[in-house]
Structure formats: structure tokens, C-alpha cells
């Protein structure tokens, strides 16, 4: 049966993403300008030892000029989508496809199926003109699906090489977050060392917004996902302001980093926005976090306002030092006793086993948590060894603790209000939405640009498109050596080279801006209702970027203005 398409889907299929001016030239006129040799961000000698062949490559910026050296083909490129979905993935593939065909109509693109495991199992399909035309500007990764398999062992590298060589692949494009791009760098080094001549190029993907640095301005998907969450949060703010009887606790996805929560905070101006990185820096205990929220609830109650909205980043739990210690200790207990724990049928047996294995203070902390949270903390870790924060209902934990704390405060005469709370988790809702115009353009440019890097035989690079707060035509394109973004971190008990995750910087412009604004939000109803993503209409509505990017790049952020008619919301 054929697909049924809504009117908007039909219109989006026809949307033509805008390329940066440099990528509009013929491939033979896109010349790679090479900068100076680069260094890793820290632990330089160790990273250099681990990447003898790819370390220190120069930054590449494409410029207008004759480039007789580009690979005229025909070439065969493979793409793999790795990790969580992010809006715009299909446009990366569309950009790859169109870039390849523009360079030589005989060039081919294949997609490995189901994430990196598709490479190991040699499962792929050809991306044809017909197929890609069904997916242009659509959300999701369903064209080839994604997966979280990690390619990291010597056997897996060997299997990857076998698949790539057997299929006569000239370049592999890995679309992923910090961990997947770290693995792309390792694969690039391995394939070079093996003399295969196969390039590996990364593309920065993740809604979490934590794959960014001096060279990568934002990862794709962050723009659309935060617009979707902000619409939902804004709707709740309006509901709160209408009914005036509930406190809404909204947990937002984003893994460790609080970028999504901060951005949704800017867009909607709720009463409380918790930032995990700040909680960590202030070394706050869970009880102190609860106290700080209770203080605002009590103040609002004194003003007759028994309602409000609180944003909670999903990674908050890991940033509370005592919880972090508990999670790390649990990681070890679970890893060391995997078989024994798996053999236990009852949750109670598992919990009792864990209580005994933990040091007494942590065991006590664990026992003090609500049952549901205890079980969620013990769930399987992801393939990178991370606790799955998306499964831990921190918002419910906070409400549970707040109910108790406010009851105590009532007895002490410090609280006179009524606390009725509703919890939400917005996560999967935002990952596969139809990409905003920004993400449609950005992803298409990232894919197209990745082809240009591959045709210039670059390897160990991440596709880089910059100057993103400006119009797409003014964007800059090139490549950043993956080793330039690395440092050494301890993972699963071993020193490993990894791309550094970008958390919310407390000395960064967005956070400083937030600190100036948040007090005003706490006691008032200065809510903003951003509404749904607009794909058509006035430029400043349909093409706006994130507030985070605008603040970071020192641009005046569009959007939130006082109503000139002085409307009282
Ligand atoms: P990536 O880091 O792979 O981009 O994943 C993003 C994310 O959506 C996180 O925000 C979230 O914690 C996690 O994936 C959820 O993972 P899963 O899809 O495996 O449940």
C-alpha cells in the first residue's frame, strides 16, 4: 500500500534547502584551503600516540578556486546513522546524494542498515533518486534506521574493513554524536594504517547539543527538538496561567548536558529552570535542590499563586554529587556481578544484593529513594556504559520529596499553600519531528560538504558548516580534524581518547544571560508561548535559530519582545 501524506508532508518534500555560497559552485571549483597543523584540546602526547597517522591534520576551509585534485570518480560512498534520532538525518543523506551526483552522476551512495551493526553484518541498501525523494526534509532516521552498537574491538575493526573493502567503498560517512565520532576517528586511523585508502568522515548529530566546541557551532537536531519541546512547555505555561491550580514538573531530554532545558527556558520563561551543571558546581545535595524549589513554591503561595512550571534536565540526577557517587558505585556493582544479577528473578532479591554490595552510606541513600527510582537506577547501562537517564523519573522524585518537605514547612508555619503537582517527560516527542528550516538547510549542507571532503580524500575529519547565526548563503564550509576535539577520559576503568562533551558552560554567554533573567521569571508569569515550528511565513519566524546560538555568537536574539500594546497575559 502506498504512503499517505499530509498536506504539510507533501509541501516539505518539495522544499529546496539552501546551500552555503561556496557549496553552490561546481565541485571542481571548490578548493580545500589548508590551515596550520592542529593539536588535541589536552593530553596531546597521549592522543598523538593513539592516532599516529591522523593526528595534527590541518583545519580545512573550502574556498573558490580550481581544484584539479578532486576525485572525479566514479566513487562509492556509504553512510551510517549512529545513536539517537535527531531531526534532519534524512537531509544529511539527501545532501550526500545530491553532492555525489553533482560531482559525477555515476557516483553511488549506500546506507548501512540499523546503525553500526549494519557495517559489521554487511547489511545495506542503495540510496536511489526515488528513495531519497521520499525522505527529503522529513524527520526520523527510518530511511536506513539507526542503532547504538559500538565499533571498538580489533575484531570489529577487521569486520568493518572486510565489509567496506568487499563493497568497494571509497568513503564512509558516520552521522553521530561525540561517542560515534570518536569511534569514527579510531576507524579512520585503522583504515589508514591498513592502507585501504578508505576515508572516514563524521557528521555532528545529537539533539542534546553537547557536540560543540570552538569549531562545531551546534549539532544538528538541537534546533528542531528544542522548538518542539518549547512549544509543548509553552502550552503548559498557558494552561497553568489559565487554571492556576497545578505545579507542572517537566523533565526534558538531553542526557548529561542541560542545553535543551536552558534553550526551552529562554523560549518559554517558566518559573524555575534547573541546570545540572550549576547544581554540580555548587555541590548541592538532593535535599538542597528540593529546598531551593520549595522556597519559590512558598513565596508564590504567599502571593496566592499555587501554580507554576519547573523545567528539569534529564541529566540532573547525575550532577547531584551524592547521586553521582551512587550511580558510579552502582555501575561497578552491576558490571562486576552481571551474571549473578541477571539470574535473579525478583527485583527485591536484586535490590538486597545491591544494598549489601554498596558501601553503607550509599546503601542508605539508595534505600531512601522511592521504589520506582531505585529500580530505574538499576536498569541496564547503554553500550557506552552510561546510565540511561531517559529512564529515570527525576521529576517524580522531586515531586515526592517536595510533598514531604512542604508538609514539614507547613507544620513549621513556613508554607501556607496547596501543592498539587503534575509530572511530564518530553523526550522522544522531539527527536523525529520534521526538521525546522534551519535543520533542513544545515543537515543538507553538512551532507553535501561531507562529500566534498571525501572527494578530496580527507579522512579523520568531521564535516563543519559554520557562521550559523547568519543566512545559509553566508555559511562557511570545511572540515575539522577529529583528533583536534579530543582529550583523554576514564571510561569503563580505562584511559580512552574521546571527543570532549560540551556541557553548559557556567561562564558562557547563554548561562550568564539566563542568570540575569531567572529571578524575574520565578515570581511572575512572564511566560512566553513560542507555538509550533513554522516552515513558511515571515523570515524571522520561519528561519530563526536557537537563542543559545544567538547568545553565543553575540547576535541579538529574535523572538521574545514586550507587547507594544502593553497586553497583560
Ligand atoms: P545521542 O546522544 O545518541 O544523540 O542520543 C540522544 C538521546 O535522545 C538522549 O537525549 C537520551 O538520553 C538518549 O538518546 C535516549 O536513548 P535511547 O534512544 O536509547 O532511549
Amino acid at each position: 500500500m502506498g504512503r499517505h501524506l499530509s498536506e504539510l508532508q507533501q509541501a516539505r518534500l518539495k522544499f529546496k534547502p539552501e546551500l552555503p555560497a561556496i557549496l553552490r559552485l561546481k565541485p571542481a571549483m571548490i578548493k580545500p584551503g589548508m590551515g596550520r597543523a592542529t593539536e588535541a584540546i589536552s593530553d596531546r602526547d597521549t592522543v598523538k600516540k593513539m592516532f599516529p597517522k591522523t593526528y595534527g591534520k590541518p583545519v580545512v576551509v573550502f574556498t573558490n578556486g580550481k581544484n584539479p585534485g578532486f576525485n572525479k570518480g566514479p566513487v562509492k560512498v556509504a553512510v551510517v546513522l549512529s545513536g539517537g534520532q535527531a531531526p534532519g538525518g534524512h537531509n544529511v543523506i539527501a545532501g550526500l546524494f545530491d553532492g555525489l551526483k553533482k560531482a559525477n552522476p555515476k557516483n553511488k551512495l549506500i546506507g548501512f542498515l540499523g546503525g553500526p551493526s549494519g557495517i559489521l553484518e554487511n547489511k545495506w541498501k542503495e540510496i536511489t533518486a526515488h528513495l531519497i525523494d521520499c525522505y527529503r526534509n522529513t524527520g526520523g532516521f527510518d530511511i536506513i534506521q539507526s542503532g547504538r552498537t559500538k565499533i571498538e574491538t580489533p575484531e570489529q575493526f577487521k569486520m568493518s574493513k572486510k565489509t567496506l573493502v568487499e563493497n568497494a567503498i571509497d568513503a564512509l560517512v558516520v552521522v553521530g554524536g561525540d561517542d560515534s565520532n570518536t569511534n569514527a576517528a579510531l576507524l579512520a586511523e585503522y583504515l589508514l594504517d591498513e592502507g585501504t585508502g578508505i576515508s572516514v568522515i563524521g557528521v555532528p548529530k545529537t539533539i542534546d547539543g553537547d557536540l560543540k566546541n570552538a569549531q562545531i557551532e551546534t549539532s544538528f537536531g538541537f534546533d528542531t527538538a528544542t522548538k518542539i519541546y518549547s512549544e509543548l512547555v509553552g502550552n503548559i505555561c498557558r494552561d497553568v496561567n489559565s487554571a492556576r491550580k497545578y505545579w507542572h514538573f517537566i523533565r526534558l531530554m538531553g542526557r548529561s548536558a542541560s542545553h535543551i532545558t536552558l534553550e526551552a527556558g529562554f523560549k518559554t520563561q517558566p518559573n524555575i529552570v534547573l541546570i545540572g551543571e550549576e547544581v554540580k558546581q555548587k555541590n548541592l545535595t538532593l535535599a538542597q535542590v528540593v529546598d531551593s524549589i520549595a522556597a519559590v513554591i512558598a513565596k508564590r503561595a504567599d502571593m496566592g499563586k499555587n501554580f507554576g512550571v519547573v523545567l528539569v534536565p534529564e541529566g540532573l540526577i547525575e550532577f547531584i554529587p551524592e547521586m553521582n557517587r551512587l550511580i558510579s558505585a552502582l555501575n561497578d556493582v552491576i558490571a562486576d556481578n552481571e551474571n549473578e544479577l541477571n539470574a535473579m528473578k525478583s527485583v527485591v532479591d536484586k535490590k538486597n544484593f545491591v544494598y549489601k554490595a554498596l558501601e553503607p552510606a550509599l546503601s542508605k541513600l539508595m534505600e531512601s529513594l522511592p521504589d520506582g527510582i531505585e529500580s530505574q537506577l538499576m536498569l541496564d547501562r547503554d553500550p557506552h556504559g552510561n546510565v540511561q537517564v531517559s529512564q529515570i523519573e527525576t521529576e517524580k522524585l522531586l515531586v515526592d520529596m517536595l510533598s514531604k518537605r512542604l508538609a514539614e514547612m507547613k507544620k513549621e508555619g513556613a508554607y501556607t499553600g496547596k501543592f498539587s503537582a503534575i509530572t511530564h517527560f518530553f523526550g522522544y516527542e522531539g527527536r523525529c519531528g520534521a526538521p525546522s528550516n534551519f535543520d533542513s538547510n544545515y543537515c543538507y549542507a553538512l551532507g553535501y560538504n561531507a562529500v566534498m571532503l571525501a572527494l578530496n580524500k580527507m579522512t579523520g575529519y568531521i564535516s563543519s558548516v559554520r557562521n550559523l547565526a547568519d543566512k545559509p548563503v553566508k555559511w562557511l564550509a570545511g572540515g575539522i580534524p577529529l583528533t583536534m576535539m579530543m582529550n583523554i577520559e576514564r571510561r569503563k576503568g580505562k584511559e580512552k581518547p574521546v571527543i570532549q562533551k560540551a556541557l553548559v558552560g557556567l561562564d558562557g554567554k547563554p548561562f550568564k544571560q539566563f542568570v540575569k533573567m531567572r529571578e524575574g521569571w520565578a515570581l511572575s508569569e512572564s511566560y512566553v508561548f513560542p507555538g509550533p515550528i513554522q516552515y513558511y511565513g515571515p523570515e524571522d519566524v520561519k528561519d530563526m535559530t536557537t537563542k543559545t546560538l544567538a547568545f553565543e555568537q553575540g547576535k541579538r536574539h529574535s523572538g521574545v519582545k514586550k507587547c507594544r500594546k502593553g497586553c497583560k497575559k
Side-chain angles (χ1 to χ4, degrees):
M1 201 171 71
R3 288 195 307 163
H4 295 264
L5 302 176
S6 70
E7 290 78 359
L8 182 61
Q9 274 179 291
Q10 295 170 46
R12 290 312 282 168
L13 287 178
K14 292 184 202 141
F15 176 79
K16 294 256 172 294
E18 280 182 72
L19 277 176
I22 184 69
L23 297 181
R24 296 179 191 182
L25 301 171
K26 284 190 182 135
M29 291 304 293
I30 303 176
K31 197 176 164 189
M34 311 299 250
R36 268 187 262 139
T38 57
E39 296 273 15
I41 33 179
S42 62
D43 311 294
R44 293 176 174 171
D45 292 340
T46 323
V47 178
K48 193 172 182 176
K49 250 189 227 151
M50 289 171 165
F51 293 90
K53 293 258 184 326
T54 50
Y55 186 85
K57 291 185 174 221
V59 168
V60 172
V61 179
F62 285 122
T63 55
N64 183 349
K66 272 196 185 144
N67 178 17
F70 96 100
N71 189 345
K72 294 182 191 66
V75 297
K76 198 168 174 192
V77 171
V79 59
V80 63
L81 300 173
S82 181
Q85 288 73 256
H90 290 154
N91 268 29
V92 173
I93 301 181
L96 286 168
F97 183 85
D98 292 352
L100 277 167
K101 295 293 176 187
K102 174 105 187 237
N104 181 342
K106 289 199 178 122
N107 285 344
K108 283 202 163 154
L109 179 64
I110 68 161
F112 284 111
L113 302 177
S117 63
I119 305 179
L120 302 177
E121 293 161 14
N122 196 9
K123 288 191 180 147
W124 53 269
K125 72 171 161 203
E126 183 170 352
I127 310 291
T128 59
H130 173 70
L131 182 65
I132 200 65
D133 283 348
C134 297
Y135 286 93
R136 289 182 190 270
N137 311 300
T138 56
F141 279 5
D142 39 323
I143 189 170
I144 50 173
Q145 300 97 44
S146 185
R148 291 201 183 277
T149 302
K150 241 184 126 172
I151 297 184
E152 55 178 351
T153 65
E155 292 71 39
Q156 287 175 323
F157 282 133
K158 243 191 203 166
M159 283 160 83
S160 305
K161 176 184 153 189
K162 187 167 175 277
T163 303
L164 296 171
V165 170
E166 254 177 42
N167 290 297
I169 301 299
D170 295 286
L172 170 69
V173 176
V174 178
V175 181
D178 50 334
D179 284 327
S180 307
N181 274 290
T182 296
N183 293 344
L186 290 164
L187 189 60
E189 179 73 24
Y190 172 81
L191 293 173
L192 200 59
D193 197 39
E194 292 283 299
T196 62
I198 303 170
S199 303
V200 181
I201 306 291
V203 173
K205 169 237 70 165
T206 177
I207 60 161
D208 302 347
D210 58 3
L211 174 48
K212 68 171 169 185
N213 45 49
Q215 294 80 30
I216 305 292
E217 294 176 5
T218 189
S219 53
F220 80 76
F222 178 70
D223 184 83
T224 311
T226 51
K227 282 178 174 145
I228 296 173
Y229 298 136
S230 301
E231 181 202 352
L232 299 175
V233 173
N235 292 349
I236 286 184
C237 289
R238 197 131 222 178
D239 193 285
V240 148
N241 211 21
S242 311
R244 302 192 160 224
K245 59 178 179 179
Y246 297 125
W247 271 91
H248 286 262
F249 286 73
I250 308 170
R251 177 166 52 105
L252 292 171
M253 228 179 206
R255 223 186 263 286
S256 309
S258 307
H259 298 292
I260 288 183
T261 300
L262 185 57
E263 176 66 21
F266 285 133
K267 285 202 170 97
T268 59
Q269 307 192 167
N271 305 101
I272 301 177
V273 178
L274 299 173
I275 299 296
E277 291 80 344
E278 185 183 22
V279 167
K280 180 176 178 189
Q281 193 225 27
K282 292 187 171 162
N283 212 2
L284 298 182
T285 61
L286 192 50
Q288 285 169 324
V289 173
V290 168
D291 278 349
S292 69
I293 304 172
V296 176
I297 294 178
K299 269 196 203 153
R300 285 182 66 87
D302 288 346
M303 299 162 81
K305 299 174 180 182
N306 288 304
F307 62 91
V309 176
V310 184
L311 298 190
V312 183
E314 71 172 9
L316 176 76
I317 193 105
E318 282 187 304
F319 279 118
I320 298 172
E322 62 197 305
M323 293 304 294
N324 187 285
R325 277 195 299 281
L326 174 61
I327 290 170
S328 316
L330 276 173
N331 286 350
D332 291 345
V333 172
I334 292 169
D336 296 346
N337 303 283
E338 207 179 340
N339 295 339
E340 212 164 340
L341 282 164
N342 282 345
M344 290 179 198
K345 295 245 156 45
S346 101
V347 183
V348 179
D349 287 349
K350 285 186 191 186
K351 281 186 189 168
N352 286 335
F353 180 91
V354 167
Y355 294 150
K356 274 193 205 134
L358 288 171
E359 65 174 79
L362 293 179
S363 178
K364 207 168 147 208
L365 173 62
M366 175 103 170
E367 270 189 273
S368 73
L369 299 171
D371 277 354
I373 301 287
E374 271 189 285
S375 308
Q376 288 154 12
L377 283 172
M378 283 168 48
L379 288 173
D380 287 344
R381 273 39 186 166
D382 77 5
H384 299 278
N386 305 316
V387 64
Q388 300 191 50
V389 278
S390 61
Q391 311 291 323
I392 303 174
E393 295 171 313
T394 315
E395 70 286 13
K396 293 197 175 149
L397 173 65
L398 291 176
V399 167
D400 192 82
M401 293 181 72
L402 272 162
S403 305
K404 289 180 190 139
R405 181 70 195 114
L406 291 168
E408 281 167 18
M409 285 167 70
K410 210 165 224 176
K411 275 192 200 147
E412 295 157 8
Y415 174 61
T416 50
K418 182 174 172 294
F419 182 62
S420 185
I422 296 180
T423 57
H424 313 260
F425 170 47
F426 298 151
Y428 299 92
E429 294 83 345
R431 297 200 313 186
C432 283
S436 60
N437 286 350
F438 174 84
D439 271 328
S440 296
N441 291 328
Y442 183 39
C443 291
Y444 187 75
L446 283 170
Y448 200 100
N449 181 57
V451 168
M452 298 307 140
L453 291 168
L455 295 181
N456 282 287
K457 305 205 177 73
M458 309 283 169
T459 190
Y461 277 84
I462 191 163
S463 175
S464 141
V465 174
R466 291 183 300 127
N467 201 26
L468 298 172
D470 224 319
K471 290 179 190 309
V473 68
K474 294 193 174 159
W475 290 353
L476 308 170
I480 305 297
L482 286 162
T483 55
M484 190 183 179
M485 309 189 303
M486 287 194 173
N487 66 168
I488 300 291
E489 287 176 24
R490 233 182 141 66
R491 296 278 171 96
K492 292 189 187 165
K494 282 192 187 141
E495 303 279 289
K496 294 247 165 114
V498 289
I499 292 175
Q500 199 178 50
K501 226 184 233 317
L503 300 176
V504 169
L506 302 188
D507 50 2
K509 288 183 192 156
F511 183 76
K512 283 187 178 161
Q513 193 68 32
F514 161 68
V515 170
K516 278 191 218 155
M517 300 161 101
R518 67 175 157 190
E519 261 178 45
W521 303 347
L523 301 182
S524 68
E525 290 73 53
S526 47
Y527 307 135
V528 179
F529 315 115
I533 297 180
Q534 300 296 307
Y535 299 93
Y536 305 95
E539 237 173 61
D540 58 347
V541 177
K542 71 180 173 66
D543 294 336
M544 75 184 156
T545 56
T546 59
K547 310 263 178 250
T548 305
L549 195 65
F551 288 134
E552 276 167 350
Q553 300 202 359
K555 301 259 165 159
R556 206 183 66 78
H557 72 102
S558 60
V560 180
K561 284 186 190 138
K562 281 226 168 88
C563 173
R564 272 194 270 134
K565 291 185 180 154
C567 298
K568 291 224 164 41
K569 283 180 284 179

